[in-house]
C-alpha cells in the first residue's frame, strides 16, 4: 500500500455488497471508526462504497476487510481512493477556491480582466472534478465484482437463506400434520439454520463495539423463544426477518437502477481513427486527443469537440432537451448523446471518468454522503433509543414475575415481542430512502441537488434571487442600434470590436458579430486590459479606447444633453448601453438587447403560486432592470457590483431563506452567500462540484420544479417518520399488554420498513414539472 501524496494517511476504497439501507451504513461506520488509525470514513448506500483513510503503522486494509466481512458484507479488493483534483489554473487571476460557487468562472478579456457590462457569463468551467474511485454505476470500467449485473434476488446469499428457511418452515408445518411430536424439532432446525448467520453478524458487531443492532435483537428473541418452547413462532420470526432483508435489498436496487440507467447511456466501445484506419476501442480507455468516428445512429462515446462533419445531435440523455441541435466543427459533443444525421469525427476532450454523464452520476452518489439534518437527528436519537428498548424489555421480563407474581414464560414472551417491535430500522431509513429516491428522480429530470441538506433548505426557500443575463434572459444579446456622436457608426463599432477581440462574453460577441455583419475589419487592440467592475480598455492606432457602461464612462468623457437623452431612451427600452470613448471623447453608444427566456414569465408565476418571491439582481442600469423585471412581473435590484449582490442576498435572507440562481463570474460571491446556489446550464457548462445544485435543461421553470421536488421529498419524509413512529407506538403497547405475538411483532417491524421504503420509492415517479 502506498502512502498518499499529502501525508501518511493512505486513502482506500472498497465496493461493499449487501449494504442496502442507512442502518447497514451506520453499523459499518461505527465498527470501522473504532479501528486504530482509521479516519475520514465515508459510506454511500447508492454506490455501495466504503472509503477511509488509514494512518501508517495502524490498522491494515486486511483488518478493515475482516471487520466488515464479519458484519455480513462482501467486499471487493481494496484500491487507492482517487484524491479530488485541484481546480484548474486558468491564469485569469480569479479566486477559484471553494467560496467561488460560480459555475462558469473564467477570464473574459485579457488575463485577470473583468468587464463592466452587466452580468457577464462565460462558457468554460474551472471547477474541480473531485473524482472518487469507480464513480458511476454501469459506466465503462465500473464493475460490481461481488454482485454481477442481472443477479436476481434468489441468487444472493440472503435470497438463498429465505428459500431454505421457507422450505424448512413449510416442511415442518406439513410434518406436523402427520407427526406432531417430531415437527417441533423441524421448527427448531428451521430456526437455528436461519438464525445462525444472523447471530454471527450480531456477535461480530458486538465485538466491534456495536452491541445494539437488529441482528442482536433478532438473535435474543429467537433464542428466548426456543428456551420457552415457542419453536414454531421462533422459526416464523427468523423467516420473516430474512424476507424483510431481501425486500430491503430489492428496494435499494430499484433506487440504484435509475442511476445505473444513466451510466448505460455511454457506449462500451468506440471507433477510433489511427493512421488512416478505424478500429474498435474500449470507450473507458479513450485518451484525451484521440479521434473517434461517430456514425449516424451511434451514441457519442466521450465528451469531445467536432473536428469534421455537421449533424443533428440529440442531447436529451444529458440535458433533457428533446429537439436535436445542429452542430459542426468546433462545437462540443457530450458522451451519451445520439448522432442523428451524418457521420462526425470528434477529438476526445475528457477521459471516461470525467465525462458529463459520469459527473452527474458522481454528484448523485456523493450526495448520499451529505446527510440531512433530520437524518442526523434520527441517528443520534437511535443511539439512545435502542438501549432504552432493551432496558424496557428487561424490565417487562423481570418486574411482573418478581414483584407481581406474573408467569415467567408469559412475560419473557412479551419482552421478546417488545424487542422485535422496538427495532428502529423503519425510522432510521425513513429519511435516507426518501433522499435517495428524490436525488434519482431529480437527476432524470435534469435537476441536480447535492444531498439532504440542500433538499431540506430548498423546501424552506421563501425567495429566489435571479441573475439577469444568461439566467432570466437567453444570454445571447445582439446589437440593436449604434448611436454615432463623436465619430461615425462604422468607427464606433470598429473601436469597440478592437478591445472586445478574443472575448467569449455574450455582449462582446454581439459587438464582434455586428462588425462582421457590417463588413468592418477587426484589428485587436494593444495593451488590452479590464478595469474590474467598470470596463475594458486598449489602444488602436495610438487611440486610447474605453468601452463600458455609461455611468462609468461619464467620469472619463463629457456627455452632452443629446448623449444623456439617447442613453435614457435606450435604457428605458430595456437595452444595455455600452459607451465607446476615444482619447477622452465620447465616440458613440452601442445598444444591445438580451431577450428574456420564453419560460421566464411562467417560471415567476409558478414560484408566486408556490408562495415564493422572485427578485432579479443585476449589474445593469436601473432602467433596463426595471424594463426586464416589469415584463416578467418580479421585483428587481439594479446597478449592483458583486459585493452589492452579496449585501442584497443578506438583506433578503433576513426575511426568508434565499436561493440564488446565476451563471456569471459576478454571481460567484452571491451564490456562496445564499442558502442555496443553483447553476444554470448544461452538464458541461456547469461546475457540478462547486454549486449546491444545477438545472441542466437551462429552463427557468425548473427552479420551481426543484422547489416542488424538495417540498414533496420533505412531505414524504414526514409521512415516513409518522408511519415508523406510529406503528412502533401501537405495537409496543399491544406487545406489553399481550395482544401481539412474536410473529406479529416481526411482521409489524418488517411491514413498517417495507411501507416506509415503498412510500419513499414513490418519489421515483414524481414529476417535478407538474404544477398541480
Amino acid at each position: 500500500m502506498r502512502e498518499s501524496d499529502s501525508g501518511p494517511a493512505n486513502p482506500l476504497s472498497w465496493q461493499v455488497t449487501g449494504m442496502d439501507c442507512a442502518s447497514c451504513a451506520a453499523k459499518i461506520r461505527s465498527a470501522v471508526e473504532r479501528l486504530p488509525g482509521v479516519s475520514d470514513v465515508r459510506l454511500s448506500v447508492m454506490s455501495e462504497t466504503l472509503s477511509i483513510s488509514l494512518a501508517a503503522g495502524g490498522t491494515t486494509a486486511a483488518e478493515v476487510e475482516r471487520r466488515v466481512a464479519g458484519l455480513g458484507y462482501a467486499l471487493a479488493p481494496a484500491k487507492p481512493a482517487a484524491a479530488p483534483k485541484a481546480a484548474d489554473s486558468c491564469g485569469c487571476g480569479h479566486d477559484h477556491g471553494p467560496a467561488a460557487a460560480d459555475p462558469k468562472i473564467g477570464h473574459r478579456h485579457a488575463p485577470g480582466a473583468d468587464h463592466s457590462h452587466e452580468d457577464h457569463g462565460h462558457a468554460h468551467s474551472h471547477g474541480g472534478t473531485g473524482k472518487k474511485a469507480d464513480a458511476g454505476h454501469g459506466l465503462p470500467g465500473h464493475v460490481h465484482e461481488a454482485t454481477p449485473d442481472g443477479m436476481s434476488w434468489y441468487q444472493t446469499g440472503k435470497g438463498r437463506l429465505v428459500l431454505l428457511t421457507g422450505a424448512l418452515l413449510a416442511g415442518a408445518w406439513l410434518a406436523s400434520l402427520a407427526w406432531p411430536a417430531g415437527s417441533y424439532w423441524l421448527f427448531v432446525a428451521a430456526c437455528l439454520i436461519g438464525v445462525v448467520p444472523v447471530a454471527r453478524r450480531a456477535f461480530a458487531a458486538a465485538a466491534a463495539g456495536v452491541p445494539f443492532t437488529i441482528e442482536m435483537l433478532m438473535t435474543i428473541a429467537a433464542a428466548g423463544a426456543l428456551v420457552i418452547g415457542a419453536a414454531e413462532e421462533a422459526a416464523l420470526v427468523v423467516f420473516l426477518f430474512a424476507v424483510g432483508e431481501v425486500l430491503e435489498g430489492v428496494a435499494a436496487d430499484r433506487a440504484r437502477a435509475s442511476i445505473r440507467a444513466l451510466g448505460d447511456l455511454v457506449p462500451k466501445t468506440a471507433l477510433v481513427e489511427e493512421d488512416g484506419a478505424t478500429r474498435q476501442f474500449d470507450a473507458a480507455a479513450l485518451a484525451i486527443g484521440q479521434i473517434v468516428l461517430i456514425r449516424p445512429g451511434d451514441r457519442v462515446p466521450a465528451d469531445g469537440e467536432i473536428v469534421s462533419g455537421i449533424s443533428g445531435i440529440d442531447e436529451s440523455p444529458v440535458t433533457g432537451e428533446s429537439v436535436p441541435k445542429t452542430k459542426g466543427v468546433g462545437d462540443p459533443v457530450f458522451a451519451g448523446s445520439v448522432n442523428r444525421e451524418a457521420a462526425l469525427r470528434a477529438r476526445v476532450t475528457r477521459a471516461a471518468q470525467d465525462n458529463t454523464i459520469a459527473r452527474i452520476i458522481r454528484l448523485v452518489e456523493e450526495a448520499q454522503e451529505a446527510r440531512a439534518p433530520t437524518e442526523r437527528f434520527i441517528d443520534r436519537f437511535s443511539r439512545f433509543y435502542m438501549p432504552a428498548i432493551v432496558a424496557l424489555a428487561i424490565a417487562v421480563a423481570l418486574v411482573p414475575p418478581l414483584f407481581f407474581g406474573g408467569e415467567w414464560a408469559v412475560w419473557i414472551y412479551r419482552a421478546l415481542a417488545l424487542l422485535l417491535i422496538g427495532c428502529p430500522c423503519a425510522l432510521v431509513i425513513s429519511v435516507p430512502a426518501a433522499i435517495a429516491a428524490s436525488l434519482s428522480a431529480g437527476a432524470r429530470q435534469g435537476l441536480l441537488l447535492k444531498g439532504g441538506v440542500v433538499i431540506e433548505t430548498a423546501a424552506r426557500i421563501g425567495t429566489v434571487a435571479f441573475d439577469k443575463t444568461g439566467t432570466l434572459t437567453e444570454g445571447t444579446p445582439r446589437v440593436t442600434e449604434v448611436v454615432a456622436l463623436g465619430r461615425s457608426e462604422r468607427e464606433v463599432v470598429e473601436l469597440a470590436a478592437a478591445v472586445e477581440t478574443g472575448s467569449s462574453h455574450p455582449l462582446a460577441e454581439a459587438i464582434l458579430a455586428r462588425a462582421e455583419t457590417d463588413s468592418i475589419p477587426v484589428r485587436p487592440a494593444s495593451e488590452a486590459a479590464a478595469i474590474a467592475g467598470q470596463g475594458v480598455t486598449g489602444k488602436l492606432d495610438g487611440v486610447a479606447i474605453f468601452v463600458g457602461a455609461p455611468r462609468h464612462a461619464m467620469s472619463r468623457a463629457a456627455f452632452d444633453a443629446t448623449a444623456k437623452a439617447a442613453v435614457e431612451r435606450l435604457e428605458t427600452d430595456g437595452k444595455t448601453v455600452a459607451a465607446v470613448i476615444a482619447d477622452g471623447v465620447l465616440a458613440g453608444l452601442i445598444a444591445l438587447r438580451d431577450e428574456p427566456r420564453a419560460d421566464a414569465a411562467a417560471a415567476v408565476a409558478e414560484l408566486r403560486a408556490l408562495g415564493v418571491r422572485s427578485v432579479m439582481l443585476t449589474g445593469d442600469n436601473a432602467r433596463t432592470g426595471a424594463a426586464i423585471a416589469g415584463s416578467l412581473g418580479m421585483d428587481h435590484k439594479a446597478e449592483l457590483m458583486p459585493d452589492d449582490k452579496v449585501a442584497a442576498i443578506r438583506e433578503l435572507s433576513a426575511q426568508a431563506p434565499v436561493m440564488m440562481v446565476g451563471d456569471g463570474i459576478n454571481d460567484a460571491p452571491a451564490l456562496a452567500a445564499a442558502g442555496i446556489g443553483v447553476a444554470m446550464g448544461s452538464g458541461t457548462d456547469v461546475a457540478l462540484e462547486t454549486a449546491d445544485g444545477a438545472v441542466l435543461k437551462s429552463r427557468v421553470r425548473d427552479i420551481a420544479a426543484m422547489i416542488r421536488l424538495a417540498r414533496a421529498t420533505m412531505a414524504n419524509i414526514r409521512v415516513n417518520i409518522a408511519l415508523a413512529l406510529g406503528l412502533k407506538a401501537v405495537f409496543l403497547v399491544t406487545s406489553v399488554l399481550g395482544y401481539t405475538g412474536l410473529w406479529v411483532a416481526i411482521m409489524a417491524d418488517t411491514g413498517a420498513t417495507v411501507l416506509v421504503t415503498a412510500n419513499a420509492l414513490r418519489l421515483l415517479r414524481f414529476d417535478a414539472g407538474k404544477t398541480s
Side-chain angles (χ1 to χ4, degrees), residues 244-341:
E245 286 204 312
V246 169
L247 290 176
E248 274 188 8
V250 171
D253 196 59
R254 277 199 59 190
R256 297 180 188 120
S258 59
I259 299 301
R260 283 199 298 266
L262 276 176
D264 291 340
L265 293 173
V266 181
K268 299 293 184 279
T269 58
L271 293 175
V272 175
E273 288 191 356
E274 290 179 345
D275 302 323
T278 302
R279 66 187 182 92
Q280 204 167 59
F281 199 82
D282 181 7
L286 286 172
I288 294 174
Q290 285 187 297
I291 303 297
V292 294
L293 173 65
I294 310 166
R295 301 167 300 187
D298 283 356
R299 288 192 180 273
V300 178
D303 283 9
E305 182 180 286
I306 297 173
V307 295
S308 70
I310 299 176
S311 182
I313 304 293
D314 177 7
E315 296 179 348
S316 57
V318 180
T319 67
E321 291 295 337
S322 57
V323 179
K325 292 183 179 178
T326 300
K327 295 198 172 189
V329 176
D331 289 331
V333 289
F334 312 139
S337 54
V338 182
N339 181 17
R340 291 296 186 193
E341 297 168 3

Side-chain angles (χ1 to χ4, degrees), residues 9-35:
N10 182 24
L12 291 173
S13 178
W14 287 266
Q15 202 71 36
V16 183
T17 303
M19 184 170 61
D20 296 327
C21 70
S23 294
C24 302
K27 191 191 313 172
I28 295 173
R29 180 183 291 109
S30 296
V32 173
E33 281 178 339
R34 287 175 164 81
L35 292 171

